[in-house]
Amino acid sequence: MPDGWAQALIEFAQPAADQGLRYVAAISARLSYAFMCLTLCWGVLTATGWVHRICGRKTMRSGHVALAMLALAFGAIHAIGFLFVTAGTFTVPRLIIPLLPGTLARHTMGILGLELALAIAVTAGLVRLMSYRRWLWVHRLAYPAFALLVLHSLFGAIANGRLALLWLGGITLLVPAVTLAVLRFLPVRILERIGLVEEQV
């Protein structure tokens, strides 16, 4: 086959490959977002003990860890997918260093959020080697990581022109996660008043 034909075939196949990779990156981003919201909900329920009667604390923790790992795995697939989309646009440094010149704000938020989530996952495995207070402080970085990743998702949907389509599902998953996160930090007397915890006699 002449070189001209080979080059034309490569150029013809490249957009289809890019589209397939973009589709994988988009689907993995949506799955990561869903598992991130579920992880936050499950984590709050585990920490507060509001559902320990349904299943034991150990089961709740295991479920929280499983959801977190799924969120991280799909988030990593989403990020790595961009290395192969439109070769040269995204490089390894651009995917792991959040404040490089020319990096868009939405990408910076995604990088910071994913890196915070990875730090939380690593320290969760080191809980026996750290003081509980330090571990808890690091683990609570999940809330700013969550906020950064939600903003990353929102601005990504706006940039792709899919806000109306995607944010119906996005908001459906976001509302319970934010509600539980707010309830987690309310004073006990307010939780007693609304009936979420039993009054101390």
Side-chain angles (χ1 to χ4, degrees):
M1 183 181 286
D3 284 345
W5 283 97
Q7 186 62 34
L9 187 60
I10 289 168
E11 287 173 4
F12 176 76
Q14 187 67 32
D18 271 5
Q19 278 306 107
L21 287 167
R22 284 182 190 281
Y23 183 73
V24 168
I27 291 296
S28 60
R30 292 170 195 155
L31 288 169
S32 180
Y33 179 88
F35 284 118
M36 177 184 68
C37 290
L38 292 171
T39 300
L40 182 71
C41 292
W42 205 270
V44 170
L45 294 174
T46 301
T48 57
W50 291 338
V51 293
H52 285 174
R53 294 183 202 120
I54 298 170
C55 56
R57 187 173 180 83
K58 190 174 181 182
T59 305
M60 290 296 293
R61 278 190 181 154
S62 299
H64 178 63
V65 169
L67 289 170
M69 289 300 105
L70 285 167
L72 279 172
F74 284 115
I77 291 168
H78 171 66
I80 291 167
F82 283 100
L83 283 176
F84 304 101
V85 175
T86 317
T89 304
F90 289 94
T91 60
V92 172
R94 195 165 289 285
L95 287 176
I96 62 173
I97 303 171
L99 298 172
L100 281 179
T103 303
L104 296 175
R106 73 174 192 268
H107 295 150
T108 298
M109 288 185 278
I111 293 165
L112 286 172
L114 185 59
E115 288 177 354
L116 274 174
L118 286 169
I120 293 160
V122 168
T123 56
L126 302 174
V127 66
R128 293 187 178 138
L129 303 175
M130 301 171 69
S131 69
Y132 180 74
R133 282 180 184 268
R134 183 169 294 162
W135 174 84
L136 186 61
W137 183 85
V138 172
H139 209 73
R140 284 190 174 162
L141 290 175
Y143 296 104
F146 178 80
L148 284 168
L149 291 168
V150 167
L151 288 172
H152 169 71
S153 301
L154 173 65
F155 291 129
I158 290 169
N160 294 328
R162 298 199 170 145
L163 182 66
L165 176 69
L166 295 179
W167 272 92
L168 180 61
I171 289 172
T172 303
L173 289 166
L174 183 63
V175 168
V178 170
T179 303
L180 284 170
V182 168
L183 290 174
R184 168 83 171 93
F185 292 103
L186 284 178
V188 175
R189 67 180 183 280
I190 295 175
L191 296 176
E192 287 173 350
R193 196 176 305 145
I194 60 178
L196 280 175
V197 295
E198 295 176 5
E199 292 187 34
Q200 301 295 323
V201 181

